Amino acid sequence: MNELIKINYDNDEPRVLGRDLHGYLEITERYSSWFKRMCEYGFAENVDYLGCKVFNTLAKQELQDHQLTISMAKEICMLQRNDKGKQARQYFISLEEKWNTPEMVMSRALKMAERQINSLSLINSELTTKNAIMQPKADYFDELVDRNLLTSFRETSKELNVKESDFIKFLLEKKYIFRNKKGKLEPYAQYRKEGLFEVKECYNEKTKWRGLQTLITPKGRETFRLLFLKASA
């Protein structure tokens, strides 16, 4: 089918520019006045037409134009009551018939499905990327929170206002901790299960030391605080 008037596709819906139709119908009346008069037949904006701007190369400026539905274009053609209007109306009818064939309907459905799949794939890709970016931050935050809840023997002794050596001696004597073969302090399994201690792999950025370290939990600090209060009473 030869294209008498240029057809535009807005969201896959065929439309025609009002100025293109105005020109094809050889209307001598000024476009703005003619279009306003056509709208008096009951056409509604955002239903039958959409306002838009077009650039006129001769006038070198933007002009007001309108994207018309094919139904509106057909009615306007019928209102002209001349051969040009009749010819254009038959053209639009043929266009609609082709547009509504089972093949074209199926083609549009497949395109829509493809766009939805691509959109979902893009969303999934974005979420995967965001998760990949955020996961290390989340892991670091969890580790930071966890580490701030745990304190070393030195930090705990400061909180209890006792010397570190006295605090460690107390824990050794009361059999809460022991020295392993390497001389490192470790909690007895019983008190680890009770949640007084945790053994964590730690890293010191200044000394570059990495290894297991016995840390005291909030429950452990409160337990030892009460024991020291009782001992000093």
Side-chain angles (χ1 to χ4, degrees):
M1 181 174 60
N2 294 327
E3 188 177 60
L4 294 183
I5 305 171
K6 183 180 178 181
I7 303 299
N8 306 299
Y9 292 88
D10 180 34
N11 291 328
D12 285 338
E13 181 183 354
R15 291 178 181 269
V16 60
L17 283 175
R19 287 184 181 274
D20 287 348
L21 181 60
H22 176 267
Y24 178 79
L25 295 173
E26 299 178 351
I27 306 297
T28 56
E29 184 181 359
R30 188 181 180 89
Y31 172 75
S32 57
S33 301
W34 172 78
F35 186 77
K36 183 178 180 181
R37 185 165 56 83
M38 291 298 100
C39 287
E40 291 175 358
Y41 286 93
F43 300 117
E45 188 173 7
N46 297 324
V47 177
D48 301 298
Y49 66 89
L50 300 170
C52 65
K53 297 285 187 180
V54 294
F55 186 77
N56 186 295
T57 54
L58 294 176
K60 295 183 179 180
Q61 63 178 344
E62 281 192 332
L63 300 176
Q64 179 64 48
D65 206 339
H66 305 86
Q67 290 277 12
L68 317 182
T69 63
I70 298 303
S71 294
M72 178 177 176
K74 282 194 307 180
E75 291 191 51
I76 288 177
C77 290
M78 188 169 58
L79 291 169
Q80 306 313 304
R81 296 185 178 86
N82 56 30
D83 289 339
K84 276 284 187 177
K86 183 178 181 180
Q87 189 177 16
R89 183 169 178 273
Q90 289 300 319
Y91 169 70
F92 291 133
I93 290 173
S94 298
L95 179 72
E96 277 189 324
E97 289 175 350
K98 181 180 178 182
W99 180 254
N100 292 316
T101 60
E103 293 80 9
M104 290 297 292
V105 172
M106 179 61 71
S107 176
R108 292 196 299 275
L110 290 173
K111 286 182 180 179
M112 184 180 295
E114 184 178 359
R115 283 198 298 269
Q116 290 176 340
I117 291 171
N118 290 337
S119 178
L120 289 173
S121 296
L122 179 61
I123 292 171
N124 183 60
S125 178
E126 289 176 350
L127 289 174
T128 301
T129 302
K130 287 180 180 179
N131 286 338
I133 293 172
M134 292 304 297
Q135 190 57 47
K137 294 181 180 180
D139 291 343
Y140 172 76
F141 179 76
D142 290 343
E143 182 180 346
L144 186 64
V145 171
D146 189 32
R147 179 63 184 85
N148 285 341
L149 290 175
L150 303 173
T151 53
S152 65
F153 291 107
R154 179 175 297 178
E155 292 165 339
T156 306
S157 63
K158 285 183 180 180
E159 285 190 22
L160 298 177
N161 199 27
V162 297
K163 290 182 179 181
E164 182 183 2
S165 57
D166 291 341
F167 179 55
I168 291 174
K169 182 180 178 181
F170 171 83
L171 295 178
L172 288 168
E173 289 177 350
K174 298 297 182 181
K175 303 295 184 181
Y176 284 100
I177 61 175
F178 66 94
R179 290 190 183 276
N180 61 24
K181 293 180 180 180
K182 294 182 179 180
K184 298 292 184 180
L185 296 172
E186 285 189 33
Y188 283 98
Q190 173 188 346
Y191 298 114
R192 284 185 66 176
K193 290 180 180 179
E194 290 182 9
L196 303 185
F197 301 93
E198 282 194 26
V199 178
K200 292 279 189 180
E201 184 176 354
C202 300
Y203 176 72
N204 189 311
E205 290 186 357
K206 291 183 178 180
T207 63
K208 306 301 179 183
W209 174 86
R210 183 188 297 276
L212 296 177
Q213 183 179 8
T214 296
L215 298 169
I216 301 167
T217 67
K219 180 180 179 181
R221 290 196 297 276
E222 181 62 15
T223 298
F224 302 136
R225 184 184 70 83
L226 293 175
L227 287 173
F228 271 94
L229 281 176
K230 184 178 180 180
S232 62

